[in-house]
Amino acid sequence: FTLLLPLFSLLVVIPSCLLLRCQLQCPEIAVAKGEEAHYTLKLDYPFLFPCACVFLQVGYTRQLGRSDLKARPEEREQLRFPIGPCSHMTLHPTVCFHHCGKIDVMLEKIRVRDMLGLFQLPVLKRKEQKTKGSIYVMPKPVEVIWNVEESAELGADGNVYSLWKKGDDPSEIFQMREYQQGDRLRDVHWKLSLRQNKLMVKEYGLPLQFAVQFLLDIGMKAKLEELDRLLDSFASLTMALLQQDIPFSVSWTTGEALETALVANTEDLSGVLHSVLSLSGNNRHEVLTQFLNQGQTIQGRHLVYLTTGEIAGEDDLMIREALTSFLWEKKGKVTALMTRPGENLAFQLQQA
């Protein structure tokens, strides 16, 4: 009987590895640094015998600043627990990340162990089984006083309009309001006035030119603290612009091409952050080099270059000369923001 017991234990656990189903549910969620995030593991076990031990391994891979497409998980979590016969189980693991970036959550291993602890078998994976999810760890902005109102060309030709200020561009309606003494008759919306049985006046939109252009340069060997400083600074500066209703543009590289996004509100900024948080690392000053080589025209009068590296020494002499030349040609302003280890925050604005 003693010799047959291990065989019986193996025969009981084999159906478990064939019938057990496990899914990871982790919709794309955004949390702040240091804030707890939750995802869900759902198990379905239809077998008549209990399983003495279910083993799960979950890996967490940071996409921001990675140097290759097959990055290995930087953290792993292992869960072990028994499961009863014909049962359903739901787990809610809690994780906490202290650095910015998109974190890919993946259910890497699912195994079952027999009651004697002699055999550990992998669970059969199914195509419909969900094993991946993502968590976005957002930067933490701080209040910054950055008055660039004079750089925003209000009333210039543009296809983005102020959300808070009226203007005189008849191609865009800012709002409709009731007629007041002194309003021009040509601004009356006659059809709407007839429907509402009172005079309604059109207020026109105020077009904005993009006053500031950001270049984000994430180094391939940047430390997590440097990435945090860069993104915290970017979030702080951009929020300061949006609070003044000043639009801006952001450029980054995906390796071969330079991508540019226009931001006029917090919804646009949220979309940009979701893209930036998953950027891989670049070669030294890759974004700036592509920007200058492609002859990109600055979207505004102020170019802000954010990099995890430095612009110093003979190696960067060409970059400094190119920025200086760009500064004189465009008759605007260039600011280089560089993150260095040991600084509390990355608001080290320096003239390039």
Side-chain angles (χ1 to χ4, degrees):
F1 176 78
T2 304
L3 296 177
L4 294 177
L5 190 58
L7 179 60
F8 174 77
S9 182
L10 175 62
L11 293 176
V12 170
V13 80
I14 287 177
S16 299
C17 67
L18 298 176
L19 298 175
L20 178 65
R21 297 184 180 182
C22 182
Q23 293 195 31
L24 184 148
Q25 295 182 352
C26 182
E28 292 189 351
I29 57 176
V31 296
K33 291 186 294 183
E35 181 180 325
E36 290 185 347
H38 306 273
Y39 59 92
T40 302
L41 292 169
K42 288 192 173 183
L43 294 94
D44 183 14
Y45 185 68
F47 193 40
L48 295 175
F49 288 90
C51 181
C53 181
V54 178
F55 171 81
L56 305 178
Q57 179 170 294
V58 182
Y60 307 108
T61 305
R62 187 182 307 275
Q63 295 299 319
L64 180 64
R66 69 188 188 280
S67 57
D68 55 70
L69 294 177
K70 296 182 179 180
R72 295 182 178 181
E74 60 184 46
E75 295 181 29
R76 286 187 170 93
E77 184 175 3
Q78 297 180 348
L79 305 173
R80 293 181 176 85
F81 51 87
I83 189 169
C86 300
S87 61
H88 304 276
M89 182 178 290
T90 302
L91 305 175
H92 300 283
T94 300
V95 291
C96 183
F97 302 100
H98 298 279
H99 298 286
C100 296
K102 177 187 176 185
I103 309 296
D104 285 343
V105 183
M106 183 173 182
L107 184 57
E108 297 180 320
K109 295 181 180 180
I110 312 172
R111 299 178 182 273
V112 292
R113 185 174 294 173
D114 70 304
M115 63 184 70
L116 298 179
L118 299 176
F119 306 100
Q120 183 171 279
L121 305 179
V123 172
L124 179 65
K125 291 186 178 181
R126 297 169 175 82
K127 292 183 178 180
E128 69 277 8
Q129 188 174 358
K130 297 179 181 179
T131 60
K132 296 181 180 180
S134 298
I135 298 174
Y136 289 87
V137 184
M138 308 300 286
K140 186 177 180 180
V142 298
E143 186 176 354
V144 178
I145 299 176
W146 187 21
N147 186 12
V148 291
E149 185 75 22
E150 65 276 4
S151 298
E153 295 188 0
L154 303 177
D157 294 334
N159 55 4
V160 175
Y161 293 80
S162 173
L163 299 176
W164 314 109
K165 300 177 182 179
K166 63 181 180 179
D168 56 4
D169 187 348
S171 62
E172 180 76 12
I173 301 298
F174 176 68
Q175 69 176 2
M176 305 295 298
R177 62 169 175 81
E178 197 170 341
Y179 177 85
Q180 298 175 359
Q181 187 176 2
D183 288 337
R184 298 176 299 184
L185 288 179
R186 67 180 182 181
D187 294 336
V188 174
H189 195 298
W190 295 108
K191 291 184 179 180
L192 182 61
S193 298
L194 288 173
R195 287 199 299 267
Q196 297 196 6
N197 200 25
K198 57 183 178 181
L199 287 178
M200 299 297 295
V201 175
K202 296 176 285 186
E203 288 189 339
Y204 300 119
L206 178 65
L208 300 174
Q209 182 185 17
F210 288 81
V212 181
Q213 179 163 5
F214 291 92
L215 295 183
L216 299 182
D217 206 340
I218 296 175
M220 190 175 295
K221 297 181 180 180
K223 298 179 180 180
L224 295 178
E225 291 78 10
E226 291 185 272
L227 296 173
D228 282 348
R229 294 190 190 100
L230 184 144
L231 292 174
D232 287 348
S233 301
F234 173 69
S236 301
L237 295 173
T238 53
M239 289 302 295
L241 292 178
L242 292 180
Q243 288 173 2
Q244 300 174 68
D245 193 27
I246 297 176
F248 54 90
S249 63
V250 186
S251 297
W252 63 87
T253 183
T254 55
E256 299 180 355
L258 197 69
E259 293 191 10
T260 299
L262 305 180
V263 178
N265 49 55
T266 54
E267 185 177 347
D268 295 340
L269 179 58
S270 177
V272 167
L273 283 175
H274 274 66
S275 299
V276 169
L277 289 173
S278 59
L279 289 179
S280 57
N282 307 314
N283 293 326
R284 187 176 178 83
H285 304 311
E286 180 71 21
V287 173
L288 184 59
T289 302
Q290 288 188 13
F291 179 82
L292 296 173
N293 289 343
Q294 293 178 14
Q296 294 286 334
T297 57
I298 187 170
Q299 297 288 343
R301 303 167 83 183
H302 191 164
L303 176 66
V304 180
Y305 176 49
L306 298 96
T307 176
T308 54
E310 292 185 84
I311 304 178
E314 296 182 359
D315 293 340
D316 294 328
L317 181 60
M318 183 177 65
I319 293 294
R320 296 176 65 86
E321 291 178 349
L323 279 175
T324 303
S325 175
F326 180 87
L327 177 64
W328 285 104
E329 288 177 7
K330 301 302 178 182
K331 297 181 181 179
K333 185 177 182 181
V334 176
T335 297
L337 187 155
M338 296 163 277
T339 62
R340 296 185 179 89
E343 294 179 352
N344 294 327
L345 198 58
F347 293 112
Q348 190 73 13
L349 298 179
Q350 299 186 15
Q351 199 71 19

